[in-house]
Amino acid sequence: MGNIDNHSFLDFAYQLYRTMKTNEISLVYEGEVTQDITKTFTSLTERNLAKSEESNAVQRKVFNVMVECLQNISKHADSMGGEDGEERRGIVMVSKGDDSYNIITGNIIKNSKVPGLTENLEQVNSLDKKGLSELYKNQMRDGKLSDKGGAGLGLIDIAKKTGSTLGYQFKELNEEVSFFILTSTIKRSK
């Protein structure tokens, strides 16, 4: 029995490794997202990028978007049980393709928040750089900040920094919560 479990875990580990190599995923973290984790993960990303021959501008964008994505999880992630006191967990991946970097984050979100978040994402994706700057200024001026410190400001900021539309999906887990996946793409300089 122990050998079968061990063997299936090894298969899983190898499949994960192969998937990561195929998709050029260089960093993965799953767990509670705290200030310390954010610092550690961003410093690993920074070191990883410094080893690459990527331009400083691209490195800065990847780093800044990474910080924003981690802060979004730490501020807005919900728990599986719906208890407010529970830790804010998420998954973060950085992958490097031929012409871009992808920062993929995932976290639990209450189903009641999905429509509002979808509306925010659609609005952000419909705007150009100038429109995003205007929206950001309006949100700041009007003070439409939620109790968690954002009115989509993080999403606006990510879209401004990447210059790309934000990819997103929701996978309903049960009547209470869904899994929210956000993909931020940063073009690599040629």
Side-chain angles (χ1 to χ4, degrees):
M1 175 85 176
N3 285 346
I4 294 169
D5 290 346
N6 194 23
H7 182 71
S8 60
F9 178 75
L10 290 174
D11 279 349
F12 166 76
Y14 177 67
Q15 288 300 331
L16 180 63
Y17 170 77
R18 238 179 55 194
T19 302
M20 286 178 65
K21 290 307 265 179
T22 304
N23 295 293
E24 292 206 47
I25 296 172
S26 53
L27 283 171
V28 176
Y29 170 77
E30 189 284 325
E32 186 177 9
V33 178
T34 62
Q35 280 303 116
D36 287 342
I37 293 297
T38 299
K39 283 180 197 162
T40 303
F41 201 79
T42 51
S43 104
L44 280 170
T45 304
E46 209 169 19
R47 258 184 263 146
N48 211 335
L49 287 169
K51 283 189 234 167
S52 73
E53 295 185 7
E54 213 57 70
S55 76
N56 284 344
V58 171
Q59 286 186 41
R60 248 189 331 276
K61 277 184 187 179
V62 171
F63 180 78
N64 289 333
V65 170
M66 161 82 57
V67 169
E68 197 63 57
C69 287
L70 287 164
Q71 285 176 341
N72 273 349
I73 292 174
S74 72
K75 287 179 189 171
H76 300 292
D78 291 313
S79 65
M80 236 354 229
E83 301 299 315
D84 282 340
E86 284 189 45
E87 60 192 26
R88 309 228 178 258
R89 295 178 69 86
I91 186 166
V92 184
M93 293 182 276
V94 179
S95 72
K96 176 178 148 187
D98 290 339
D99 56 1
S100 65
Y101 282 91
N102 286 309
I103 298 169
I104 303 149
T105 58
N107 59 272
I108 302 291
I109 181 173
K110 289 179 182 164
N111 289 336
S112 60
K113 293 181 182 176
V114 171
L117 182 53
T118 302
E119 196 177 306
N120 282 352
L121 286 158
E122 288 299 319
Q123 182 182 20
V124 166
N125 280 342
S126 72
L127 299 171
D128 60 9
K129 203 167 189 113
K130 188 177 177 210
L132 289 169
S133 292
E134 285 297 310
L135 179 61
Y136 192 89
K137 278 188 247 173
N138 291 343
Q139 299 278 45
M140 291 297 288
R141 187 190 64 231
D142 298 344
K144 291 182 187 167
L145 299 179
S146 73
D147 58 342
K148 301 224 176 141
L153 289 176
L155 296 174
I156 298 167
D157 213 24
I158 292 167
K160 279 173 56 178
K161 285 173 180 157
T162 63
S164 303
T165 58
L166 303 175
Y168 65 92
Q169 283 182 296
F170 297 96
K171 176 165 179 40
E172 191 172 304
L173 302 177
N174 59 39
E175 293 93 46
E176 299 291 314
V177 294
S178 291
F179 193 69
F180 167 52
I181 298 168
L182 179 69
T183 305
S184 311
T185 303
I186 297 142
K187 298 273 182 240
R188 296 177 65 196
S189 41
K190 296 283 179 189

